[in-house]
Amino acid sequence: MSILIKNGRIITATDDYVADIFTEGETVRAIGKNLKLEAGRVIDAAGKLVFPGGIDPHVHLEMPFMGTYSSDSYETGTRAALFGGTTMVIDFILQKQGSPLRSALEEWKKRSNNNCVGDYSFHMAVTDFNDITKKEIRDLVENEGITSFKTFMAYKGALMIDDRQMIGLMEEVKKCGGLINVHATNGDMIDYLIAKHRGEGKLSPLYHYLSQPEITEAEASERFTDMTFYTGCPGYIVHLTCEGALNAVRNATRRNQKVFVETCIQYLILDASLYEKDFEGAKWVMSPPLREKKDQATLWAGINQGLVQVVATDHCPFKWEQKLLGKNDFAKIPNGHPAIENRMELLYSEGVSKGRITLNKYVEVACTNPAKIFGMFPRKGTIAVGSDADIVIFDPDEQHTLSAKTHHMNVDYSGYEGWEVTGKVKTVLLRGQVAIDDNKCLLKKGYGQFIKRNKVDNKI
Ligand code: DUC
Ligand code: ZN
Ligand code: ZN
């Protein structure tokens, strides 16, 4: 199978030019003006943007969590991602406390193998670091291509590890050439505040927000940053939401330290006023919670300052009947919201179209940096000869409206119902196959491949 994409405006993290792209098999073979090459299919991309497939490095598919499972399967989630221009996701394996990492890996493989439409990888969440777990790290990095290890400083009693375990894990991960991801919020403070609010009979979704104030994230982000400084382990803060937390990372740059920072699309464009809608606020109950308008401004600026390198989603959808598990108690509302399909279009519309970020920055934070940080560049994350032919053809002017009625995620509401968006994904290629065209998915489950990742490059 060969494809010739003609006359598109090609955007990478560094370039912006009009040319043709020739793909053969799974790979980009040639890029140039007026390519005279025979192809099985020719796509006219004149007037369109052509950029690398999006990479969302933070999603939770079919994940056992808070007494239920996130509602997108590997099939529905990766298919919805493709509709939205994301050709690869990185999902999280959760170690069960008291069990080895290997058994969690086998469980996750069972759910995902041969079930994905788009490409995927895993981070390994270490929820119980001990002498047995320690011996498993190198095997994951060298034999499984899993080079990033997630830690939770919150979710006390279920997922959280303490600082002693954190330091031990950092030393081992550094030795093996990996990276530590962290959910950086102060689990003890949050645990206390949840109990306090429940004890006072304050049970609505608003109290989810009030149980995780900015200081809980700022404090943990600083502590994590200090621990990575001490151990020298590469660190990556997932879903950073607020000014206080970003300032902890900014301060660390004064001692020439780099900690990678990911924010998520919702923290850039939604705010905590949504929790005032009584139980409807449960749609946006996620951890950390949405913040204030001033935090949105900080995060957009952080992207342009190079302090925030990645925009992901933390896609963790729950249907309305699942959210109702917490009807009478905010602490029982499954945490998470759906966005895997919306990230690329929302970031373009709110970021590029509204003049907050450049097109190159858009590609950098949504495609290229996730590939570089997580050991997949230049196979993924750019358009170059020899790279996988993961390509999005995008109409920058088409207006449309986001809705649960038209989305492809397996969830019966949208966190963005009625949002007017400028810019639409038209055609998507995944490893040289047309995945999305004319609002249809042309790939079957099982096409999506597990991508083994390389050791981590701390200098992007
Ligand atoms: N936060 C969420 O909102 N959902 C899944 C896990 C997390 O940390
Ligand atoms: Zn988290
Ligand atoms: Zn998450």
Side-chain angles (χ1 to χ4, degrees):
M1 172 75 173
S2 58
I3 297 177
L4 185 60
I5 303 169
K6 297 280 302 168
N7 291 315
R9 182 176 164 199
I10 300 169
I11 315 290
T12 68
T14 47
D15 300 310
D16 181 346
Y17 58 102
V18 174
D20 304 340
I21 302 171
F22 178 72
T23 75
E24 195 175 39
E26 300 196 342
T27 311
V28 174
R29 294 286 181 207
I31 304 174
K33 298 256 183 213
N34 302 315
L35 290 180
K36 301 273 179 288
L37 292 163
E38 283 292 313
R41 178 164 174 195
V42 177
I43 299 174
D44 176 12
K48 306 282 194 301
L49 303 178
V50 178
F51 49 75
I55 299 175
D56 187 343
H58 190 156
V59 307
H60 302 278
L61 302 175
E62 223 173 314
M63 181 177 79
F65 189 55
M66 294 183 75
T68 182
Y69 278 78
S70 55
S71 60
D72 260 319
S73 66
Y74 287 89
E75 179 182 359
T76 63
T78 56
R79 186 190 297 125
L82 286 169
F83 272 105
T86 291
T87 49
M88 172 161 182
V89 300
I90 313 184
D91 184 63
F92 290 81
I93 299 172
L94 300 184
Q95 178 195 15
K96 198 156 156 225
Q97 291 182 338
S99 300
L101 302 177
R102 173 61 56 180
S103 53
L105 172 61
E106 296 310 325
E107 188 189 329
W108 257 256
K109 278 185 179 173
K110 248 187 238 153
R111 279 199 289 274
S112 59
N113 268 359
N114 301 316
N115 284 329
C116 289
V117 189
D119 285 355
Y120 68 107
S121 176
F122 292 129
H123 309 281
M124 173 60 78
V126 179
T127 63
D128 187 3
F129 185 68
N130 53 46
D131 288 345
I132 300 167
T133 320
K134 186 173 171 183
K135 296 199 186 83
E136 298 188 87
I137 302 289
R138 187 171 296 282
D139 176 43
L140 291 172
V141 172
E142 294 187 352
N143 301 322
E144 299 291 342
I146 295 176
T147 52
S148 44
F149 297 85
K150 168 82 176 287
T151 55
F152 290 89
M153 295 169 86
Y155 293 113
K156 199 172 162 62
L159 302 170
M160 178 171 152
I161 58 170
D162 61 24
D163 293 350
R164 188 175 192 276
Q165 294 180 77
M166 181 73 92
I167 293 279
L169 177 62
M170 282 178 176
E171 287 188 340
E172 192 59 25
V173 167
K174 183 191 174 198
K175 237 189 270 167
C176 298
L179 166 133
I180 297 263
N181 302 3
V182 69
H183 173 124
T185 58
N186 183 316
D188 281 302
M189 278 177 82
I190 292 169
D191 203 45
Y192 168 78
L193 289 169
I194 290 173
K196 180 171 171 232
H197 288 133
R198 289 170 100 187
E200 291 167 355
K202 295 170 174 167
L203 297 169
S204 70
L206 178 65
Y207 289 92
H208 169 79
Y209 166 62
L210 294 174
S211 298
Q212 300 198 36
E214 179 175 5
I215 196 85
T216 59
E217 192 178 333
E219 186 281 329
S221 300
E222 184 171 337
R223 187 157 33 102
F224 175 79
T225 300
D226 286 346
M227 288 189 280
T228 56
F229 185 65
Y230 175 71
T231 57
C233 182
Y236 177 103
I237 301 178
V238 305
H239 55 40
L240 185 142
T241 70
C242 58
E243 189 182 10
L246 194 62
N247 280 343
V249 175
R250 192 188 314 276
N251 286 341
T253 65
R254 298 199 174 105
R255 58 191 179 197
N256 202 24
Q257 185 189 359
K258 179 158 201 168
V259 174
F260 296 121
V261 172
E262 163 200 290
T263 191
C264 297
I265 188 65
Q266 59 271 27
Y267 301 118
L268 289 163
I269 64 177
L270 303 177
D271 69 73
S273 60
L274 290 166
Y275 299 122
E276 283 156 19
K277 291 177 171 239
D278 295 324
F279 194 70
E280 201 198 338
K283 288 178 185 169
W284 300 279
V285 164
M286 62 186 82
S287 292
L290 300 172
R291 302 285 186 203
E292 308 293 315
K293 291 253 188 276
K294 59 109 182 150
D295 297 299
Q296 296 176 358
T298 298
L299 293 174
W300 285 113
I303 290 174
N304 285 320
Q305 291 160 339
L307 283 171
V308 176
Q309 290 85 15
V310 173
V311 178
T313 59
D314 197 6
H315 174 77
C316 192
F318 295 100
K319 291 185 176 176
W320 191 241
E321 58 169 335
Q322 296 175 289
K323 288 283 185 180
L324 285 171
L325 291 169
K327 180 83 187 101
N328 302 312
D329 181 355
F330 71 86
K332 295 191 175 136
I333 301 170
N335 284 202
H337 102 308
I340 204 168
E341 185 171 353
N342 306 132
R343 176 186 72 129
M344 298 291 284
E345 289 178 347
L346 280 170
L347 185 62
Y348 181 86
S349 188
E350 294 295 312
V352 181
S353 191
K354 294 196 173 164
R356 292 176 170 126
I357 58 172
T358 65
L359 261 173
N360 294 118
K361 187 54 102 173
Y362 172 74
V363 171
E364 185 186 323
V365 297
C367 317
T368 312
N369 281 346
K372 285 185 172 174
I373 293 170
F374 292 110
M376 297 178 283
F377 187 84
R379 176 177 177 190
K380 302 282 190 192
T382 194
I383 297 179
V385 172
S387 295
D388 279 4
D390 300 347
I391 296 172
V392 176
I393 302 175
F394 190 85
D395 183 337
D397 301 315
E398 187 168 329
Q399 315 259 339
H400 61 116
T401 306
L402 302 183
S403 172
K405 291 194 192 81
T406 48
H407 75 203
H408 302 85
M409 298 175 283
N410 184 35
V411 55
D412 49 359
Y413 60 87
S414 169
Y416 305 93
E417 189 66 40
W419 272 65
E420 305 280 345
V421 172
T422 300
K424 183 149 183 28
V425 171
K426 303 301 288 181
T427 304
V428 178
L429 269 58
L430 173 57
R431 282 181 286 105
Q433 296 289 322
V434 178
I436 302 293
D437 202 22
D438 201 16
N439 285 317
K440 285 187 202 64
C441 181
L442 306 178
L443 296 178
K444 299 262 179 303
K445 79 171 180 179
Y447 182 78
Q449 274 186 10
F450 180 79
I451 304 294
K452 280 192 171 186
R453 295 184 284 116
N454 298 321
K455 290 188 180 176
V456 162
D457 180 1
N458 201 21
K459 294 172 206 61
I460 64 163

